[in-house]
Amino acid sequence: MSAPNGENDFLYELKVELVQEVTLAESSNPEQAMGLPVTEWLFDPTDVEREEIGLRGLLGAVEALEGDDRPDDQGAAHS
């Protein structure tokens, strides 16, 4: 996948960063931490799940913006 030129550069870079953050949140395995006593938690598993949900929401929004840009670009070419 190559980086697009022009206005979509920011969205592309944001999407790459969000994918990395979602991957990091998934790899923290909050389910395993829930099995430990609270005093042994390095992080609150609920916070990790909330963060992952938020990141997925942002990723979906970026993908929707990318989808919205494509039809407009095609429509402008036909005008």
Side-chain angles (χ1 to χ4, degrees), residues 42-59:
L42 299 176
F43 54 85
D44 185 341
T46 305
D47 288 343
V48 173
E49 289 179 353
R50 281 189 203 120
E51 182 177 353
E52 184 179 344
I53 291 168
L55 289 168
R56 288 185 184 280
L58 287 172
L59 185 58

Side-chain angles (χ1 to χ4, degrees), residues 8-77:
N8 291 332
D9 285 346
F10 175 75
L11 288 177
Y12 176 81
E13 291 173 16
L14 181 59
K15 183 176 180 179
V16 168
E17 192 167 326
L18 286 169
V19 168
Q20 291 172 344
E21 290 292 328
V22 167
T23 301
L24 183 63
E26 288 174 343
S27 68
S28 66
N29 296 318
E31 308 84 27
Q32 290 178 350
M34 286 183 175
L36 298 172
V38 174
T39 55
E40 294 182 26
W41 286 357
L42 299 176
F43 54 85
D44 185 341
T46 305
D47 288 343
V48 173
E49 289 179 353
R50 281 189 203 120
E51 182 177 353
E52 184 179 344
I53 291 168
L55 289 168
R56 288 185 184 280
L58 287 172
L59 185 58
V62 168
E63 289 172 347
L65 285 172
E66 286 178 332
D68 286 347
D69 287 343
R70 289 183 190 127
D72 290 343
D73 291 342
Q74 290 173 354

